């Protein structure tokens, strides 16, 4: 029992000894690259000529048409074909702040350009989803029917209805996160594309000030 106790007491030492060897086997640069590449696989709309995930094609080209608004673009949610505004806005916020805080490191790894394109793909859509100061579209597609249907987005036949918030249908959480996303993205593009940064900031201020809160 005494020998066993001594062996247990040495466990932290052996863990520390083995840690460098375990970490040495991981390629964090590749993990970063693939994490950003993932968003290209989630793109909706007309894909650009420099699309790296070549097995994906244009999809969701009529999104928003039934509501009289252009909602083509943006990102699909996880493995779904639905476009949810809240997680998309949160993604844009977090990716933007990653660039703001770690832009130099992303640049040295060769991923800064890809990261900025990923942010812009999302922020372009958020601008479209905010066609009026007091209107913000927060969802395209129906999650219930989509989850029962295993189709790639290029072939989807599920309902593509668009859902919005406005003063009569409030949603301050969605409006606040969307405002945060566009404000953070405006910082990312402040130097490289100041006119686009100003456009994002204007939308962010409108969405943040609009009457999207529920009334008691």
């Amino acid at each position: 029992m005494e020998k066993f106790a001594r062996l247990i007491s040495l466990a932290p030492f052996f863990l520390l000894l083995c840690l460098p060897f375990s970490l040495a086997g991981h390629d964090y640069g590749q993990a970063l690259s693939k994490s950003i590449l993932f968003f290209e696989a989630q793109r909706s709309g007309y894909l650009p000529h420099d699309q790296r995930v070549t097995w994906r094609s244009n999809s969701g080209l009529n999104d928003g048409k039934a509501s009289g608004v252009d909602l083509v673009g943006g990102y699909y949610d996880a493995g779904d074909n639905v476009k949810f505004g809240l997680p998309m806005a949160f993604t844009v916020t977090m990716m933007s702040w990653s660039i703001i805080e770690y832009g130099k490191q992303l640049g040295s790894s060769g991923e800064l350009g890809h990261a900025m394109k990923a942010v812009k793909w999302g922020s372009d859509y958020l601008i479209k989803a905010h066609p009026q100061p007091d209107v913000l579209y927060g969802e395209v597609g129906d999650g219930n029917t989509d989850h029962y249907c295993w189709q790639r987005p290029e072939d989807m036949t599920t309902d593509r209805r668009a859902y919005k918030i406005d003063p009569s249908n409030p949603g301050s959480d969605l409006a606040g996160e969307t405002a945060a996303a566009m404000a953070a993205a405006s910082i990312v593009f402040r130097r490289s594309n100041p006119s686009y940064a100003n456009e994002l900031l204007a939308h962010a201020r409108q969405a943040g000030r609009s009457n999207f809160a529920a009334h008691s």
Side-chain angles (χ1 to χ4, degrees):
M1 180 64 71
E2 184 178 348
K3 290 182 178 179
F4 179 74
R6 288 181 180 178
L7 185 61
I8 292 298
S9 67
L10 290 173
F13 170 75
F14 287 119
L15 286 173
L16 290 173
L17 188 65
C18 295
L19 187 60
F21 296 100
S22 63
L23 292 178
H26 297 288
D27 187 339
Y28 289 100
Q30 187 180 64
L32 173 65
S33 178
K34 289 183 176 179
S35 295
I36 297 173
L37 183 64
F38 165 81
F39 291 99
E40 293 193 23
Q42 297 299 108
R43 284 174 172 171
S44 178
Y46 293 96
L47 302 187
H49 68 279
D50 59 352
Q51 169 81 10
R52 294 180 294 165
V53 182
T54 55
W55 48 265
R56 285 296 319 280
S57 186
N58 300 337
S59 61
L61 303 183
N62 292 315
D63 284 356
K65 187 175 182 180
S67 301
V69 63
D70 178 10
L71 296 176
V72 176
Y75 290 111
Y76 295 114
D77 183 69
D80 307 326
N81 295 336
V82 184
K83 295 191 292 197
F84 290 112
L86 186 60
M88 194 189 310
F90 176 78
T91 297
V92 172
T93 301
M94 296 306 295
M95 290 192 70
S96 295
W97 278 107
S98 295
I99 294 171
I100 294 165
E101 296 288 342
Y102 302 106
K104 290 182 179 180
Q105 291 87 335
L106 285 166
S108 63
S109 68
E111 294 296 335
L112 180 59
H114 293 143
M116 292 181 70
K117 287 179 181 179
V119 168
K120 193 172 187 297
W121 192 269
S123 58
D124 282 350
Y125 175 81
L126 296 179
I127 290 174
K128 287 184 173 184
H130 186 228
Q132 300 173 34
D134 289 329
V135 174
L136 177 62
Y137 284 85
E139 182 178 340
V140 178
D142 177 68
N144 293 321
T145 57
D146 182 85
H147 291 167
Y148 283 104
C149 182
W150 289 86
Q151 287 181 313
R152 65 183 196 137
E154 291 85 352
D155 302 323
M156 60 184 169
T157 56
T158 50
D159 183 14
R160 300 303 290 171
R161 192 176 313 174
Y163 300 87
K164 67 182 179 181
I165 60 172
D166 56 27
S168 300
N169 304 279
S172 56
D173 49 354
L174 173 62
E177 185 57 58
T178 303
M182 292 191 284
S186 75
I187 301 174
V188 171
F189 296 103
R190 176 55 55 193
R191 291 185 178 179
S192 62
N193 194 341
S195 61
Y196 183 62
N198 289 336
E199 182 181 12
L200 284 167
L201 193 57
H203 278 277
R205 285 171 172 162
Q206 283 185 348
R209 293 172 180 170
S210 294
N211 188 19
F212 289 126
H215 300 288
S216 56

